[in-house]
Amino acid sequence: MSTEWMLRAIGLFATSAGALLVLLYLIPPPAYAKEFRTPEARRAYDVHRRRVILVVALICLWFVIQDIAFLVL
């Protein structure tokens, strides 16, 4: 193991952990989500929020796969 390999592994792990923390922050709905006046606004917000969670989850999955592949290979 070289120093370069170790730094890359640590950087990839830190990026993966950061993305997972962002995902954990996004999962519970915020308190202000119930304050929308119209049901259409509430539905639009929920759809947008689910899409953002899905995208962040896919990014997290990609980072975790890269992390595993980097450590194994």
Side-chain angles (χ1 to χ4, degrees):
M1 272 193 285
S2 65
T3 306
E4 180 184 353
W5 185 90
M6 191 64 122
L7 288 175
R8 286 184 184 190
I10 291 170
L12 188 56
F13 176 75
T15 305
S16 302
L20 288 169
L21 287 174
V22 168
L23 182 64
L24 287 176
Y25 175 76
L26 287 174
I27 289 176
Y32 64 84
K34 295 179 182 177
E35 295 179 9
F36 289 113
R37 294 182 189 256
T38 63
E40 294 87 16
R42 243 181 260 131
R43 277 192 298 261
Y45 177 76
D46 285 339
V47 168
H48 177 70
R49 188 174 154 272
R50 284 188 196 121
R51 287 180 184 167
V52 169
I53 289 173
L54 177 67
V55 169
V56 173
L58 289 173
I59 291 171
C60 289
L61 179 65
W62 177 247
F63 281 142
V64 168
I65 289 171
Q66 277 187 335
D67 207 7
I68 291 170
F70 186 76
L71 292 175
V72 170
L73 300 176

